[in-house]
Amino acid sequence: MKVFLIAGEASGDKLGAALMAGLKSLRAVEFQGVAGPLMQAEGMQSLFPMEELSVMGLAEILPKYRQLKRRIDQTAQAVLDAQPDVLITIDSPDFCLRVARRVKAASRIRTVHYVAPTVWAWRAGRAEKMAQVIDQVLALFPFEPPYMEAAGMRCDFVGHPVVSEPVASDAQAESFRSDNGLADAPLLLLLPGSRRGEVGRLMPVFSQVCDRLCKDMPQLRVVIPAVAHVADMIVDATKGWKTPPLVLDPRQGDAAGFAAQKRAAFRAADVALAASGTVSLELAASATPMVIAYDMSWLSRQIISRMLKVDTVTLVNLVSDTRAVPEFIGARCRADLITPAVRAVLADPMAQHDAMDLTMERLGRGQADPGIRAATAVLSGLGTEP
């Protein structure tokens, strides 16, 4: 069986790796495509560095449009040359769906898109456009299939891989604190994102938040688990901090060791200040209370804010149908607003517990592994028994 997969960012790389592992457990599979380090570890050689596609926001895409168009053409041709049994595109719709459109125009290759578009949040018409080039959707959230099916696509809720990923124990968290000289100090986890653009926008705000917090709590310590291709930006952004943060750099040491350290840091933290995205689910899995903040370019902010149909973008809030996690998006992404929210979470860390627990339950905790569920759905869509 031949499968062509495309991932465009770190969260898609995680989904793709879990799916690849699931497919390998059910079939003999040959993989080709665009992949990050996790998918490469599962046996794929990437057509080009996945990081080239890690661009978000309308204004951010425009300057790189010509380069992205070349990669779209290159990738679509690679799919057509490979003639796989199925093309699976993972999130990153600005890139992936353009590739799928070119592939569909020139072939009958089955197309599957992993991660349903957030039509329940904004731009409802995307589902109908997507149905022109996508045969099947793999959904992460249980409320999504009706939206996709109404547009004419098969849609399977497969759960979210976050529910089956390992979580550090309390003992491992204590060891992390001890090994890094953190003792019982209040510990703030900073997660400024995986894209260079968002790190560039968020780190100045996050730095101000840390400075304000440390004035009231001089004992506060900060840990920042970095993504490899933005680690240099984070190191530069934290130079000169009065209380130097502990930066976990994946470029130092092996991948397994870094992953274990990151999990332990999540579990050890008293509160996290994080960019909006999948990371909020990782925090919920570790039972780490959080504050979410995000900003984008002025143009993207103006356009997207007028299209939003929901009053929260935090996944824990959406899945649990609560507003337990405070968020500061766009114009509200300011240190003077964020700092009091972080203090409030530190004062009442259990306030988010029920919402985080419900989120994990609704995403499939305790059920079959999401990678297996996704692989089974793909094979079913191809008309073969798992």
Side-chain angles (χ1 to χ4, degrees):
M1 179 178 175
K2 294 168 64 176
V3 178
F4 199 107
L5 296 104
I6 304 170
E9 54 188 310
S11 60
D13 188 37
K14 275 189 178 182
L15 294 170
L19 172 57
M20 289 173 69
L23 286 168
K24 287 193 298 183
S25 73
L26 300 172
R27 286 286 189 278
V29 191
E30 175 187 336
F31 296 111
Q32 291 178 264
V34 181
L38 298 178
M39 291 170 67
Q40 290 177 50
E42 289 292 337
M44 184 190 295
Q45 182 175 350
S46 188
L47 189 62
F48 53 82
M50 183 192 73
E51 290 74 23
E52 291 187 23
L53 307 183
S54 296
V55 183
M56 185 175 183
L58 304 174
E60 290 79 0
I61 290 172
L62 290 175
K64 297 186 177 182
Y65 178 75
R66 289 186 180 180
Q67 177 188 351
L68 288 171
K69 187 176 184 304
R70 285 195 297 270
R71 289 305 194 191
I72 289 168
D73 294 340
Q74 175 190 2
T75 306
Q77 190 59 53
V79 177
L80 294 171
D81 291 343
Q83 286 295 301
D85 295 288
V86 60
L87 165 64
I88 304 175
T89 55
I90 307 171
D91 211 356
S92 303
D94 290 313
F95 183 87
C96 286
L97 297 185
R98 284 175 170 82
V99 172
R101 185 170 297 279
R102 284 162 173 75
V103 169
K104 273 297 188 186
S107 75
R108 297 177 62 84
I109 295 170
R110 182 170 179 81
T111 53
V112 177
H113 191 69
Y114 199 168
V115 182
T118 54
V119 295
W120 37 267
W122 69 305
R123 288 173 58 197
R126 285 177 293 167
E128 285 72 19
K129 291 182 179 179
M130 188 173 168
Q132 298 171 10
V133 298
I134 296 296
D135 299 307
Q136 180 181 6
V137 178
L138 306 179
L140 302 185
F141 304 114
F143 53 79
E144 292 178 319
Y147 293 95
M148 302 299 102
E149 291 164 354
M153 294 172 283
R154 169 173 171 166
C155 186
D156 298 85
F157 167 57
V158 297
H160 199 293
V162 72
V163 300
S164 61
E165 291 171 356
V167 176
S169 65
D170 289 338
Q172 290 169 326
E174 287 301 317
S175 293
F176 176 82
R177 280 181 170 269
S178 176
D179 293 345
N180 291 287
L182 300 171
D184 58 355
L187 187 59
L188 169 65
L189 190 70
L190 282 191
L191 298 159
S194 61
R195 304 179 186 91
R196 297 186 71 86
E198 63 191 8
V199 171
R201 279 187 297 274
L202 292 178
M203 274 306 293
V205 178
F206 285 13
S207 297
Q208 293 174 35
V209 172
C210 290
D211 186 57
R212 289 168 181 250
L213 289 171
C214 286
K215 287 179 181 178
D216 294 340
M217 294 181 290
Q219 74 275 30
L220 182 75
R221 298 296 303 275
V222 179
V223 176
I224 311 177
V227 177
H229 60 275
V230 297
D232 57 335
M233 294 180 67
I234 290 172
V235 171
D236 289 343
T238 57
K239 285 179 180 176
W241 279 23
K242 293 178 181 178
T243 303
L246 172 61
V247 179
L248 305 183
D249 191 339
R251 301 172 299 179
Q252 302 171 1
D254 63 283
F258 172 78
Q261 264 205 320
K262 180 181 174 181
R263 290 194 296 269
F266 272 52
R267 188 70 172 178
D270 295 294
V271 62
L273 173 57
S276 175
T278 307
V279 72
S280 69
L281 301 180
E282 297 178 49
L283 291 165
S286 291
T288 306
M290 69 197 84
V291 173
I292 299 299
Y294 200 81
D295 200 4
M296 56 206 78
S297 72
W298 181 87
L299 178 58
S300 295
R301 186 197 296 176
Q302 298 304 308
I303 295 173
I304 292 173
S305 65
R306 287 167 171 76
M307 296 181 176
L308 277 177
K309 297 162 60 179
V310 292
D311 64 347
T312 180
V313 297
T314 298
L315 293 173
V316 172
N317 289 342
L318 289 164
V319 176
S320 66
D321 196 23
T322 70
R323 297 300 179 262
V325 177
E327 65 177 39
F328 300 88
I329 310 299
R332 299 186 71 245
C333 184
R334 293 168 21 199
D336 62 317
L337 299 178
I338 296 168
T339 305
V342 175
R343 289 198 192 103
V345 173
L346 282 169
D348 187 10
M350 293 301 292
Q352 298 177 21
H353 178 271
D354 288 348
M356 293 190 291
D357 193 55
L358 181 58
T359 295
M360 292 300 103
E361 180 183 331
R362 288 182 173 174
L363 291 183
R365 183 175 59 191
Q367 301 178 35
D369 183 273
I372 292 288
R373 294 172 66 181
T376 300
V378 170
L379 293 175
S380 174
L382 287 168
T384 63
E385 292 298 323

